[in-house]
Amino acid sequence: QRHKCGAPVPFRIVCYAAKAAKKLVIPGLKFGVEVSRPETLGNVTSVTWASMGRNYCGSFTIPVTERSDCVRSRSYEVKVVLPGCIKPRYSCEVTCKVMEDAVQYVMAKNDPYSYHGNLAIPQDWTGQKPLRTDAFGSDGSCTYRIVTVTSGKLTVSASIATGGDDNQHFGIVPEKEDGTCYTTLRGQNGICVRHGDYPYVNGQQECVFSSNSTRPFYLKGCTTTMVVCLPQSGPRTVSFWENSSEPIGEATFTTREVPEGPLTIAVGLYGNSAAITSILWSPAT
């Protein structure tokens, strides 16, 4: 697991002894948690209480504090202690799992030498709570680098205003791709949709959509959703849903010609503004 020293470490109960299910289905059940670190430097032990629902599928935090301000990888032993009031001599096996830390795989691009979309990612963000930005934009042409994903499934919805001309773009570029003009997204290594035009994949326009239509894509005055899938195995894909705040139904356009390495989600604008209305992430499968 990975955590910032002094910050809460999230865990989730993922299963418990099936034979104990009827005994434990009590709304608001409280239980204790003991955490120890089996290392030569000594154990770190702390106890906390949490209130869970009927299926014990919530999350709770362990306030582990260490003598450092850096981010480290540690191995912990976790034990859930059920209160004796349930049944004094009853023993129940409970399995805990460290929750995926989305911050490891999704990084905000707050580079002071580049445009970015004022996105802040909380240290304990696990990808399930939507992140969003304030509106950003300028009178000229620029590419706003919002966030970089290295693994998993990232779902991003962008709302593009009605200003400027047709040079409004939404898509991805490789993390190390240079360029501040909106044309970066239409470049050799970019994938994007452009207002009033066909999608661009690695510098080439794609005129066939998933519905086999040959019409332009529209961005201005609506919300577009993009899903970037970077699985552990299998094809990498980038998909777009036109005029939709969620990836519902068949994607308007999908490509498998996705560059290798970390990918940066970006919005390219000319004389216009935009806002990211939702960013969600889930681990790679």
Side-chain angles (χ1 to χ4, degrees):
Q1 80 176 357
R2 181 176 182 269
H3 77 278
K4 185 175 182 181
C5 298
V9 181
F11 291 87
R12 179 189 295 123
I13 290 184
V14 293
C15 66
Y16 54 87
K19 62 183 180 180
K22 293 183 179 180
K23 299 286 185 181
L24 300 180
V25 176
I26 300 176
L29 172 67
K30 290 185 177 181
F31 51 87
V33 180
E34 295 180 358
V35 181
S36 63
R37 193 181 73 205
E39 295 184 358
T40 57
L41 296 178
N43 292 342
V44 175
T45 304
S46 63
V47 178
T48 189
W49 291 93
S51 178
M52 306 296 289
R54 291 173 61 88
N55 60 0
Y56 311 103
C57 194
S59 64
F60 54 94
T61 58
I62 309 300
V64 178
T65 302
E66 298 186 12
R67 304 188 193 100
S68 176
D69 58 356
C70 63
V71 176
R72 301 189 175 190
S73 178
R74 295 292 190 188
S75 176
Y76 291 93
E77 292 181 349
V78 181
K79 180 182 180 182
V80 175
V81 184
L82 297 172
C85 61
I86 298 297
K87 192 172 182 181
R89 293 180 297 277
Y90 186 77
S91 175
C92 176
E93 297 178 358
V94 181
T95 301
C96 284
K97 180 181 180 181
V98 178
M99 295 174 64
E100 288 276 14
D101 180 3
V103 181
Q104 296 181 70
Y105 308 101
V106 182
M107 300 159 288
K109 297 293 292 183
N110 290 339
D111 182 351
Y113 301 102
S114 179
Y115 295 101
H116 59 84
N118 56 58
L119 177 68
I121 301 181
Q123 181 66 31
D124 59 350
W125 186 61
T126 59
Q128 301 172 5
K129 182 179 180 179
L131 300 181
R132 52 183 56 87
T133 72
D134 296 329
F136 51 85
S138 70
D139 294 334
S141 63
C142 59
T143 291
Y144 290 85
R145 287 167 168 77
I146 309 300
V147 70
T148 295
V149 59
T150 61
S151 176
K153 177 182 176 182
L154 191 71
T155 302
V156 185
S157 297
S159 176
I160 311 295
T162 58
D165 55 16
D166 288 349
N167 286 308
Q168 318 300 328
H169 308 74
F170 179 38
I172 62 98
V173 291
E175 179 186 21
K176 296 182 179 180
E177 190 76 9
D178 294 327
T180 58
C181 181
Y182 58 73
T183 55
T184 303
L185 280 158
R186 304 204 309 249
Q188 185 176 359
N189 298 313
I191 297 174
C192 75
V193 289
R194 179 192 182 206
H195 180 75
D197 207 348
Y198 303 113
Y200 286 79
V201 177
N202 300 323
Q204 302 294 321
Q205 284 188 291
E206 301 288 333
C207 296
V208 179
F209 285 43
S210 57
S211 59
N212 292 322
S213 65
T214 56
R215 59 176 180 78
F217 204 103
Y218 291 96
L219 291 176
K220 293 170 65 174
C222 59
T223 298
T224 301
T225 295
M226 174 175 60
V227 175
V228 179
C229 289
L230 307 181
Q232 294 178 348
S233 61
R236 295 154 65 96
T237 62
V238 175
S239 303
F240 296 90
W241 280 258
E242 184 182 37
N243 195 22
S244 177
S245 59
E246 296 181 76
I248 299 176
E250 184 181 19
T252 310
F253 176 74
T254 297
T255 181
R256 294 188 176 187
E257 298 179 32
V258 181
E260 294 297 322
L263 301 176
T264 297
I265 281 69
V267 178
L269 303 174
Y270 179 78
N272 201 5
S273 63
I276 301 300
T277 59
S278 176
I279 296 178
L280 297 169
W281 178 85
S282 57
T285 56

